[in-house]
Short mmCIF file of all heavy atoms in Angstrom, two decimals:
data_model
loop_
_atom_site.label_atom_id
_atom_site.label_comp_id
_atom_site.label_asym_id
_atom_site.label_seq_id
_atom_site.Cartn_x
_atom_site.Cartn_y
_atom_site.Cartn_z
N MET A 1 5.45 -3.37 -44.38
CA MET A 1 4.36 -2.69 -45.03
C MET A 1 3.76 -1.59 -44.16
O MET A 1 3.99 -1.61 -42.94
CB MET A 1 3.21 -3.70 -45.32
CG MET A 1 2.33 -4.04 -44.23
SD MET A 1 1.06 -5.19 -44.75
CE MET A 1 1.33 -6.55 -43.55
N PRO A 2 3.18 -0.60 -44.71
CA PRO A 2 2.63 0.59 -44.01
C PRO A 2 1.46 0.11 -43.13
O PRO A 2 0.65 -0.80 -43.46
CB PRO A 2 2.20 1.50 -45.02
CG PRO A 2 2.51 1.02 -46.35
CD PRO A 2 3.11 -0.34 -46.23
N LEU A 3 1.27 0.79 -41.98
CA LEU A 3 0.18 0.49 -41.11
C LEU A 3 -1.19 0.63 -41.73
O LEU A 3 -2.20 -0.09 -41.48
CB LEU A 3 0.16 1.44 -39.84
CG LEU A 3 -0.85 1.27 -38.77
CD1 LEU A 3 -0.66 -0.16 -38.21
CD2 LEU A 3 -0.74 2.31 -37.77
N SER A 4 -1.31 1.41 -42.81
CA SER A 4 -2.56 1.58 -43.54
C SER A 4 -3.02 0.44 -44.23
O SER A 4 -4.18 0.31 -44.74
CB SER A 4 -2.51 2.82 -44.41
OG SER A 4 -1.55 2.65 -45.42
N MET A 5 -2.13 -0.62 -44.49
CA MET A 5 -2.44 -1.77 -45.24
C MET A 5 -2.76 -2.94 -44.34
O MET A 5 -3.06 -4.01 -44.84
CB MET A 5 -1.41 -2.01 -46.22
CG MET A 5 -1.15 -1.02 -47.28
SD MET A 5 0.21 -1.45 -48.41
CE MET A 5 -0.43 -2.79 -49.24
N VAL A 6 -2.64 -2.82 -43.06
CA VAL A 6 -2.78 -3.97 -42.05
C VAL A 6 -4.31 -4.26 -41.93
O VAL A 6 -5.13 -3.35 -41.93
CB VAL A 6 -2.19 -3.61 -40.75
CG1 VAL A 6 -2.53 -4.64 -39.68
CG2 VAL A 6 -0.73 -3.31 -40.85
N ASN A 7 -4.61 -5.55 -41.89
CA ASN A 7 -5.98 -5.98 -41.65
C ASN A 7 -6.50 -5.61 -40.26
O ASN A 7 -5.67 -5.60 -39.32
CB ASN A 7 -6.10 -7.55 -41.79
CG ASN A 7 -5.86 -7.90 -43.20
OD1 ASN A 7 -6.10 -7.20 -44.15
ND2 ASN A 7 -5.29 -9.19 -43.35
N THR A 8 -7.77 -5.32 -40.11
CA THR A 8 -8.41 -4.95 -38.88
C THR A 8 -8.28 -5.99 -37.96
O THR A 8 -8.49 -7.25 -38.22
CB THR A 8 -9.89 -4.53 -39.11
OG1 THR A 8 -9.90 -3.42 -40.04
CG2 THR A 8 -10.55 -4.12 -37.68
N GLY A 9 -7.94 -5.68 -36.64
CA GLY A 9 -7.78 -6.68 -35.56
C GLY A 9 -6.54 -7.51 -35.45
O GLY A 9 -6.41 -8.35 -34.62
N GLU A 10 -5.61 -7.27 -36.32
CA GLU A 10 -4.26 -8.09 -36.43
C GLU A 10 -3.23 -7.23 -35.67
O GLU A 10 -2.76 -6.15 -36.15
CB GLU A 10 -3.97 -8.31 -37.88
CG GLU A 10 -2.81 -9.17 -37.99
CD GLU A 10 -2.49 -9.45 -39.57
OE1 GLU A 10 -3.39 -9.19 -40.38
OE2 GLU A 10 -1.43 -9.95 -39.89
N PRO A 11 -2.69 -7.79 -34.58
CA PRO A 11 -1.70 -6.99 -33.84
C PRO A 11 -0.33 -7.12 -34.63
O PRO A 11 0.02 -8.12 -35.15
CB PRO A 11 -1.48 -7.72 -32.50
CG PRO A 11 -2.58 -8.78 -32.46
CD PRO A 11 -3.21 -8.90 -33.76
N MET A 12 0.29 -6.03 -34.77
CA MET A 12 1.54 -5.94 -35.48
C MET A 12 2.63 -5.11 -34.69
O MET A 12 2.28 -4.19 -33.89
CB MET A 12 1.31 -5.19 -36.93
CG MET A 12 0.28 -5.74 -37.79
SD MET A 12 0.91 -7.39 -38.49
CE MET A 12 1.97 -6.95 -39.69
N GLN A 13 3.88 -5.48 -34.96
CA GLN A 13 4.93 -4.72 -34.28
C GLN A 13 5.52 -3.69 -35.15
O GLN A 13 5.65 -3.87 -36.37
CB GLN A 13 6.17 -5.70 -33.91
CG GLN A 13 7.19 -5.02 -33.16
CD GLN A 13 8.33 -6.02 -32.73
OE1 GLN A 13 8.45 -7.06 -33.34
NE2 GLN A 13 9.04 -5.63 -31.69
N ILE A 14 5.70 -2.46 -34.63
CA ILE A 14 6.21 -1.35 -35.38
C ILE A 14 7.70 -1.58 -35.70
O ILE A 14 8.52 -1.85 -34.73
CB ILE A 14 5.95 0.02 -34.63
CG1 ILE A 14 4.56 0.18 -34.43
CG2 ILE A 14 6.65 1.12 -35.45
CD1 ILE A 14 4.27 1.40 -33.56
N LYS A 15 8.05 -1.53 -36.95
CA LYS A 15 9.49 -1.70 -37.36
C LYS A 15 10.24 -0.39 -37.35
O LYS A 15 11.32 -0.26 -36.75
CB LYS A 15 9.57 -2.42 -38.68
CG LYS A 15 8.88 -3.65 -38.80
CD LYS A 15 9.60 -4.64 -38.06
CE LYS A 15 8.81 -6.14 -38.27
NZ LYS A 15 9.06 -7.02 -37.20
N ARG A 16 9.61 0.63 -37.95
CA ARG A 16 10.18 1.96 -37.96
C ARG A 16 9.22 3.03 -38.32
O ARG A 16 8.09 2.60 -38.74
CB ARG A 16 11.37 2.02 -38.96
CG ARG A 16 10.97 1.88 -40.45
CD ARG A 16 12.22 1.94 -41.33
NE ARG A 16 11.81 1.76 -42.76
CZ ARG A 16 11.27 2.57 -43.51
NH1 ARG A 16 11.24 3.87 -43.18
NH2 ARG A 16 11.05 2.27 -44.79
N ILE A 17 9.55 4.28 -38.03
CA ILE A 17 8.66 5.33 -38.30
C ILE A 17 9.32 6.29 -39.35
O ILE A 17 10.60 6.55 -39.16
CB ILE A 17 8.43 6.25 -37.06
CG1 ILE A 17 7.95 5.42 -35.82
CG2 ILE A 17 7.54 7.36 -37.38
CD1 ILE A 17 6.56 4.92 -36.08
N GLY A 18 8.62 6.63 -40.44
CA GLY A 18 9.28 7.36 -41.48
C GLY A 18 8.81 8.84 -41.38
O GLY A 18 8.06 9.15 -40.46
N GLY A 19 9.31 9.62 -42.37
CA GLY A 19 8.86 10.93 -42.33
C GLY A 19 9.87 11.98 -41.82
O GLY A 19 10.94 11.62 -41.37
N ARG A 20 9.54 13.19 -41.81
CA ARG A 20 10.37 14.34 -41.18
C ARG A 20 10.46 14.16 -39.70
O ARG A 20 9.69 13.54 -39.02
CB ARG A 20 9.81 15.62 -41.64
CG ARG A 20 9.82 15.92 -43.20
CD ARG A 20 9.49 17.25 -43.52
NE ARG A 20 8.40 17.71 -42.62
CZ ARG A 20 7.38 18.36 -43.11
NH1 ARG A 20 7.25 18.58 -44.39
NH2 ARG A 20 6.44 18.75 -42.23
N GLU A 21 11.37 14.88 -39.17
CA GLU A 21 11.67 14.68 -37.65
C GLU A 21 10.48 15.16 -36.84
O GLU A 21 10.21 14.52 -35.83
CB GLU A 21 12.90 15.57 -37.39
CG GLU A 21 13.54 15.30 -36.01
CD GLU A 21 13.95 13.76 -35.93
OE1 GLU A 21 14.49 13.15 -36.84
OE2 GLU A 21 13.74 13.20 -34.84
N GLU A 22 9.76 16.27 -37.27
CA GLU A 22 8.63 16.65 -36.44
C GLU A 22 7.51 15.67 -36.55
O GLU A 22 6.78 15.47 -35.54
CB GLU A 22 8.18 18.15 -36.83
CG GLU A 22 7.75 18.21 -38.34
CD GLU A 22 8.90 18.72 -39.07
OE1 GLU A 22 10.11 18.68 -38.83
OE2 GLU A 22 8.59 19.25 -40.29
N VAL A 23 7.33 14.93 -37.71
CA VAL A 23 6.34 13.90 -37.78
C VAL A 23 6.68 12.73 -36.93
O VAL A 23 5.86 12.19 -36.18
CB VAL A 23 6.17 13.45 -39.29
CG1 VAL A 23 5.36 12.30 -39.34
CG2 VAL A 23 5.77 14.62 -40.17
N LYS A 24 7.96 12.37 -36.89
CA LYS A 24 8.40 11.24 -36.06
C LYS A 24 8.11 11.57 -34.54
O LYS A 24 7.62 10.77 -33.84
CB LYS A 24 9.84 10.98 -36.17
CG LYS A 24 10.13 10.31 -37.65
CD LYS A 24 11.66 10.14 -37.72
CE LYS A 24 12.16 9.51 -39.04
NZ LYS A 24 13.54 9.37 -39.19
N LYS A 25 8.44 12.77 -34.17
CA LYS A 25 8.21 13.19 -32.82
C LYS A 25 6.74 13.25 -32.40
O LYS A 25 6.41 12.78 -31.35
CB LYS A 25 8.94 14.58 -32.57
CG LYS A 25 9.07 14.97 -31.14
CD LYS A 25 9.98 14.09 -30.53
CE LYS A 25 10.47 14.71 -29.19
NZ LYS A 25 11.31 13.66 -28.38
N PHE A 26 5.95 13.70 -33.31
CA PHE A 26 4.54 13.71 -33.02
C PHE A 26 4.01 12.31 -32.89
O PHE A 26 3.27 12.11 -31.89
CB PHE A 26 3.82 14.41 -34.28
CG PHE A 26 2.29 14.28 -34.24
CD1 PHE A 26 1.59 15.11 -33.24
CD2 PHE A 26 1.62 13.47 -34.98
CE1 PHE A 26 0.23 15.03 -33.23
CE2 PHE A 26 0.18 13.37 -34.88
CZ PHE A 26 -0.53 14.19 -33.97
N LEU A 27 4.41 11.31 -33.80
CA LEU A 27 3.92 10.03 -33.65
C LEU A 27 4.48 9.31 -32.34
O LEU A 27 3.78 8.47 -31.74
CB LEU A 27 4.29 9.20 -34.92
CG LEU A 27 3.53 9.56 -36.14
CD1 LEU A 27 4.06 8.88 -37.33
CD2 LEU A 27 2.05 9.23 -35.99
N GLU A 28 5.69 9.68 -32.02
CA GLU A 28 6.26 9.06 -30.78
C GLU A 28 5.55 9.63 -29.58
O GLU A 28 5.33 8.73 -28.62
CB GLU A 28 7.80 9.54 -30.68
CG GLU A 28 8.48 9.03 -29.58
CD GLU A 28 9.96 9.50 -29.52
OE1 GLU A 28 10.71 9.29 -30.47
OE2 GLU A 28 10.31 10.16 -28.50
N ASN A 29 5.07 10.80 -29.56
CA ASN A 29 4.32 11.39 -28.53
C ASN A 29 2.91 10.64 -28.30
O ASN A 29 2.40 10.67 -27.19
CB ASN A 29 4.22 12.84 -28.62
CG ASN A 29 5.48 13.63 -28.29
OD1 ASN A 29 6.28 13.03 -27.68
ND2 ASN A 29 5.48 14.74 -28.90
N LEU A 30 2.44 10.22 -29.42
CA LEU A 30 1.18 9.44 -29.43
C LEU A 30 1.29 7.91 -28.93
O LEU A 30 0.41 7.31 -28.72
CB LEU A 30 0.52 9.47 -30.72
CG LEU A 30 -0.05 10.76 -31.21
CD1 LEU A 30 -0.67 10.63 -32.64
CD2 LEU A 30 -1.17 11.20 -30.32
N GLY A 31 2.66 7.53 -28.86
CA GLY A 31 2.93 6.20 -28.45
C GLY A 31 3.37 5.18 -29.61
O GLY A 31 3.59 4.08 -29.27
N PHE A 32 3.54 5.72 -30.76
CA PHE A 32 4.12 4.99 -31.81
C PHE A 32 5.58 4.99 -31.82
O PHE A 32 6.28 5.89 -32.22
CB PHE A 32 3.55 5.55 -33.16
CG PHE A 32 2.01 5.45 -33.38
CD1 PHE A 32 1.31 6.47 -33.06
CD2 PHE A 32 1.58 4.31 -33.84
CE1 PHE A 32 -0.09 6.48 -33.23
CE2 PHE A 32 0.11 4.17 -34.00
CZ PHE A 32 -0.70 5.26 -33.64
N VAL A 33 6.15 3.91 -31.26
CA VAL A 33 7.61 3.75 -31.19
C VAL A 33 8.01 2.41 -31.75
O VAL A 33 7.30 1.39 -31.67
CB VAL A 33 8.14 3.90 -29.79
CG1 VAL A 33 7.95 5.28 -29.23
CG2 VAL A 33 7.42 2.83 -28.83
N ALA A 34 9.27 2.33 -32.35
CA ALA A 34 9.70 1.10 -32.86
C ALA A 34 9.76 -0.02 -31.79
O ALA A 34 10.16 0.34 -30.69
CB ALA A 34 11.22 1.27 -33.42
N GLY A 35 9.27 -1.13 -32.21
CA GLY A 35 9.11 -2.22 -31.23
C GLY A 35 7.78 -2.38 -30.53
O GLY A 35 7.49 -3.34 -29.90
N GLY A 36 6.97 -1.23 -30.60
CA GLY A 36 5.65 -1.27 -30.00
C GLY A 36 4.72 -2.09 -30.78
O GLY A 36 4.89 -2.35 -31.99
N ILE A 37 3.58 -2.50 -30.11
CA ILE A 37 2.55 -3.24 -30.81
C ILE A 37 1.37 -2.34 -31.03
O ILE A 37 0.95 -1.65 -30.15
CB ILE A 37 2.13 -4.43 -29.90
CG1 ILE A 37 3.37 -5.39 -29.61
CG2 ILE A 37 1.05 -5.31 -30.52
CD1 ILE A 37 3.93 -6.05 -30.77
N VAL A 38 0.77 -2.50 -32.28
CA VAL A 38 -0.37 -1.72 -32.63
C VAL A 38 -1.38 -2.66 -33.33
O VAL A 38 -1.04 -3.68 -33.95
CB VAL A 38 -0.08 -0.51 -33.67
CG1 VAL A 38 0.84 0.52 -33.00
CG2 VAL A 38 0.60 -1.09 -34.86
N THR A 39 -2.65 -2.37 -33.08
CA THR A 39 -3.82 -3.13 -33.61
C THR A 39 -4.75 -2.12 -34.27
O THR A 39 -5.17 -1.24 -33.63
CB THR A 39 -4.45 -3.98 -32.62
OG1 THR A 39 -3.49 -4.75 -31.89
CG2 THR A 39 -5.52 -4.78 -33.18
N VAL A 40 -5.02 -2.40 -35.59
CA VAL A 40 -5.88 -1.51 -36.26
C VAL A 40 -7.33 -1.91 -35.85
O VAL A 40 -7.74 -3.11 -35.93
CB VAL A 40 -5.77 -1.68 -37.89
CG1 VAL A 40 -6.89 -0.86 -38.54
CG2 VAL A 40 -4.44 -1.20 -38.22
N VAL A 41 -8.12 -0.93 -35.33
CA VAL A 41 -9.52 -1.22 -34.84
C VAL A 41 -10.44 -0.83 -35.95
O VAL A 41 -11.41 -1.64 -36.21
CB VAL A 41 -9.88 -0.23 -33.67
CG1 VAL A 41 -11.29 -0.32 -33.26
CG2 VAL A 41 -8.75 -0.64 -32.46
N SER A 42 -10.20 0.23 -36.73
CA SER A 42 -11.23 0.60 -37.81
C SER A 42 -10.40 1.31 -38.88
O SER A 42 -9.55 2.07 -38.56
CB SER A 42 -12.28 1.57 -37.18
OG SER A 42 -13.03 2.04 -38.15
N ASP A 43 -10.77 1.09 -40.12
CA ASP A 43 -10.12 1.71 -41.25
C ASP A 43 -11.27 2.36 -42.05
O ASP A 43 -11.97 1.69 -42.83
CB ASP A 43 -9.33 0.75 -42.03
CG ASP A 43 -8.54 1.37 -43.21
OD1 ASP A 43 -8.56 2.64 -43.38
OD2 ASP A 43 -7.78 0.54 -43.87
N THR A 44 -11.48 3.71 -41.82
CA THR A 44 -12.59 4.35 -42.52
C THR A 44 -12.00 5.39 -43.45
O THR A 44 -11.68 6.47 -43.05
CB THR A 44 -13.55 5.01 -41.48
OG1 THR A 44 -12.64 5.94 -40.76
CG2 THR A 44 -14.13 4.13 -40.54
N GLY A 45 -11.94 5.04 -44.68
CA GLY A 45 -11.52 6.01 -45.81
C GLY A 45 -10.36 6.85 -45.44
O GLY A 45 -9.21 6.50 -45.78
N GLY A 46 -10.56 8.03 -44.88
CA GLY A 46 -9.50 9.00 -44.60
C GLY A 46 -8.69 8.73 -43.34
O GLY A 46 -7.60 9.38 -43.17
N SER A 47 -9.25 8.04 -42.35
CA SER A 47 -8.57 7.92 -41.13
C SER A 47 -8.47 6.35 -40.66
O SER A 47 -9.28 5.55 -41.12
CB SER A 47 -9.19 8.66 -39.97
OG SER A 47 -10.40 8.17 -39.71
N VAL A 48 -7.43 6.14 -39.76
CA VAL A 48 -7.24 4.84 -39.25
C VAL A 48 -7.33 4.95 -37.73
O VAL A 48 -6.68 5.71 -37.12
CB VAL A 48 -5.97 4.25 -39.73
CG1 VAL A 48 -5.65 2.87 -39.16
CG2 VAL A 48 -5.76 4.18 -41.23
N ILE A 49 -8.08 4.04 -37.03
CA ILE A 49 -8.22 4.05 -35.65
C ILE A 49 -7.37 2.85 -35.13
O ILE A 49 -7.62 1.76 -35.66
CB ILE A 49 -9.69 4.00 -35.10
CG1 ILE A 49 -10.36 5.18 -35.67
CG2 ILE A 49 -9.65 3.91 -33.54
CD1 ILE A 49 -11.82 5.19 -35.25
N VAL A 50 -6.47 3.10 -34.21
CA VAL A 50 -5.57 2.03 -33.80
C VAL A 50 -5.54 1.98 -32.28
O VAL A 50 -5.71 2.98 -31.54
CB VAL A 50 -4.16 2.18 -34.33
CG1 VAL A 50 -4.12 1.98 -35.83
CG2 VAL A 50 -3.47 3.33 -33.88
N ASN A 51 -5.33 0.77 -31.73
CA ASN A 51 -4.99 0.55 -30.34
C ASN A 51 -3.43 0.61 -30.25
O ASN A 51 -2.79 -0.21 -30.84
CB ASN A 51 -5.47 -0.74 -29.77
CG ASN A 51 -6.84 -0.67 -29.35
OD1 ASN A 51 -7.44 0.38 -29.02
ND2 ASN A 51 -7.50 -1.88 -29.17
N VAL A 52 -2.86 1.54 -29.38
CA VAL A 52 -1.52 1.60 -29.18
C VAL A 52 -1.35 1.93 -27.71
O VAL A 52 -1.93 2.92 -27.19
CB VAL A 52 -0.76 2.54 -30.08
CG1 VAL A 52 -1.32 3.96 -29.92
CG2 VAL A 52 0.63 2.58 -29.84
N LYS A 53 -0.53 1.15 -26.97
CA LYS A 53 -0.24 1.35 -25.59
C LYS A 53 -1.59 1.54 -24.70
O LYS A 53 -1.63 2.52 -24.01
CB LYS A 53 0.70 2.57 -25.26
CG LYS A 53 2.04 2.19 -25.82
CD LYS A 53 3.07 3.27 -25.24
CE LYS A 53 4.37 2.82 -25.74
NZ LYS A 53 5.50 3.62 -25.20
N ASP A 54 -2.50 0.68 -24.88
CA ASP A 54 -3.81 0.75 -24.07
C ASP A 54 -4.62 1.96 -24.37
O ASP A 54 -5.49 2.35 -23.55
CB ASP A 54 -3.47 0.62 -22.67
CG ASP A 54 -2.92 -0.76 -22.24
OD1 ASP A 54 -3.14 -1.71 -22.99
OD2 ASP A 54 -2.15 -0.72 -21.31
N SER A 55 -4.46 2.59 -25.49
CA SER A 55 -5.18 3.81 -25.89
C SER A 55 -5.71 3.62 -27.35
O SER A 55 -5.00 2.93 -28.14
CB SER A 55 -4.38 5.16 -25.81
OG SER A 55 -3.93 5.30 -24.46
N ARG A 56 -6.82 4.18 -27.64
CA ARG A 56 -7.26 4.28 -29.06
C ARG A 56 -6.93 5.61 -29.59
O ARG A 56 -7.18 6.69 -29.00
CB ARG A 56 -8.74 4.07 -29.13
CG ARG A 56 -9.18 2.65 -29.02
CD ARG A 56 -10.57 2.50 -29.49
NE ARG A 56 -10.84 1.08 -29.36
CZ ARG A 56 -12.01 0.48 -29.64
NH1 ARG A 56 -12.95 1.25 -30.08
NH2 ARG A 56 -12.17 -0.74 -29.54
N VAL A 57 -6.25 5.58 -30.76
CA VAL A 57 -5.82 6.83 -31.44
C VAL A 57 -6.21 6.85 -32.91
O VAL A 57 -6.12 5.77 -33.61
CB VAL A 57 -4.21 6.95 -31.33
CG1 VAL A 57 -3.72 8.15 -32.12
CG2 VAL A 57 -3.71 6.90 -30.00
N ALA A 58 -6.81 7.98 -33.38
CA ALA A 58 -7.19 8.08 -34.73
C ALA A 58 -6.13 8.96 -35.47
O ALA A 58 -5.70 10.03 -34.97
CB ALA A 58 -8.50 8.78 -34.86
N ILE A 59 -5.58 8.40 -36.53
CA ILE A 59 -4.62 9.13 -37.26
C ILE A 59 -5.02 9.10 -38.76
O ILE A 59 -5.76 8.25 -39.20
CB ILE A 59 -3.15 8.53 -37.16
CG1 ILE A 59 -3.18 7.06 -37.61
CG2 ILE A 59 -2.67 8.68 -35.72
CD1 ILE A 59 -1.80 6.44 -37.58
N GLY A 60 -4.58 10.11 -39.47
CA GLY A 60 -4.83 10.19 -40.93
C GLY A 60 -4.19 9.12 -41.67
O GLY A 60 -3.13 8.56 -41.25
N ARG A 61 -4.65 8.81 -42.89
CA ARG A 61 -3.98 7.83 -43.71
C ARG A 61 -2.61 8.17 -44.10
O ARG A 61 -1.71 7.34 -44.15
CB ARG A 61 -4.98 7.52 -45.02
CG ARG A 61 -4.39 6.49 -45.93
CD ARG A 61 -5.33 5.95 -46.87
NE ARG A 61 -6.52 5.46 -46.18
CZ ARG A 61 -6.54 4.16 -45.76
NH1 ARG A 61 -5.54 3.43 -45.68
NH2 ARG A 61 -7.71 3.70 -45.20
N ASP A 62 -2.34 9.38 -44.29
CA ASP A 62 -1.02 9.88 -44.54
C ASP A 62 0.03 9.59 -43.39
O ASP A 62 1.12 9.20 -43.66
CB ASP A 62 -0.90 11.36 -44.95
CG ASP A 62 -1.54 12.32 -43.87
OD1 ASP A 62 -2.23 11.77 -43.03
OD2 ASP A 62 -1.08 13.39 -43.77
N MET A 63 -0.47 9.74 -42.15
CA MET A 63 0.37 9.37 -41.04
C MET A 63 0.47 7.88 -41.00
O MET A 63 1.62 7.36 -40.72
CB MET A 63 -0.30 9.83 -39.68
CG MET A 63 -0.11 11.43 -39.57
SD MET A 63 1.49 11.81 -39.07
CE MET A 63 1.24 13.65 -38.88
N ALA A 64 -0.49 7.19 -41.14
CA ALA A 64 -0.52 5.64 -41.12
C ALA A 64 0.46 5.11 -42.12
O ALA A 64 1.15 4.06 -41.96
CB ALA A 64 -1.87 5.07 -41.41
N ASN A 65 0.63 5.85 -43.29
CA ASN A 65 1.57 5.31 -44.34
C ASN A 65 3.06 5.46 -43.91
O ASN A 65 3.94 4.85 -44.38
CB ASN A 65 1.33 6.18 -45.61
CG ASN A 65 0.14 5.67 -46.37
OD1 ASN A 65 -0.21 4.47 -46.23
ND2 ASN A 65 -0.48 6.50 -47.07
N LYS A 66 3.30 6.39 -42.89
CA LYS A 66 4.63 6.58 -42.42
C LYS A 66 5.05 5.51 -41.28
O LYS A 66 6.26 5.47 -40.96
CB LYS A 66 4.83 7.98 -41.87
CG LYS A 66 4.68 9.09 -42.95
CD LYS A 66 4.76 10.44 -42.28
CE LYS A 66 4.71 11.48 -43.31
NZ LYS A 66 4.05 11.40 -44.63
N ILE A 67 4.11 4.78 -40.78
CA ILE A 67 4.43 3.71 -39.75
C ILE A 67 4.52 2.44 -40.46
O ILE A 67 3.64 1.95 -40.99
CB ILE A 67 3.26 3.75 -38.73
CG1 ILE A 67 3.13 5.17 -38.09
CG2 ILE A 67 3.54 2.67 -37.67
CD1 ILE A 67 1.79 5.27 -37.17
N ILE A 68 5.72 1.96 -40.49
CA ILE A 68 6.11 0.72 -41.05
C ILE A 68 6.11 -0.47 -40.11
O ILE A 68 6.66 -0.47 -38.95
CB ILE A 68 7.47 0.68 -41.78
CG1 ILE A 68 7.58 1.93 -42.71
CG2 ILE A 68 7.78 -0.55 -42.50
CD1 ILE A 68 6.47 1.90 -43.78
N VAL A 69 5.20 -1.51 -40.31
CA VAL A 69 5.08 -2.69 -39.53
C VAL A 69 5.60 -3.92 -40.11
O VAL A 69 5.89 -3.98 -41.36
CB VAL A 69 3.68 -2.82 -38.99
CG1 VAL A 69 3.20 -1.80 -38.16
CG2 VAL A 69 2.71 -3.01 -40.18
#
């Protein structure tokens, strides 16, 4: 399921990253890689705040839909 549908506070493992090559590279640079663990901290309408690799990152809902957990 996409990261945008995960419940807040639930750690999940990333299965794959979808989208075009530049989108994949951008997300990889933020720390979103297959096999990594992410936890949704906050889900506010247009953006999703997640913990990934000991950092908090805010991404848009469209980006969160490309991250499959």
Side-chain angles (χ1 to χ4, degrees):
M1 80 176 124
L3 183 62
S4 60
M5 297 179 67
V6 173
N7 294 329
T8 304
E10 187 177 343
M12 299 293 284
Q13 183 176 24
I14 298 173
K15 303 294 183 200
R16 67 181 175 86
I17 307 292
R20 296 188 317 228
E21 196 58 40
E22 59 266 19
V23 172
K24 290 180 184 180
K25 193 63 159 172
F26 174 75
L27 290 171
E28 182 180 301
N29 289 337
L30 290 176
F32 295 95
V33 293
I37 303 296
V38 294
T39 305
V40 175
V41 176
S42 174
D43 186 0
T44 58
S47 64
V48 179
I49 300 173
V50 298
N51 273 341
V52 59
K53 292 196 174 185
D54 298 327
S55 299
R56 280 194 179 182
V57 178
I59 57 174
R61 184 161 297 284
D62 57 334
M63 289 282 184
N65 285 331
K66 292 176 176 30
I67 302 169
I68 306 301
V69 294

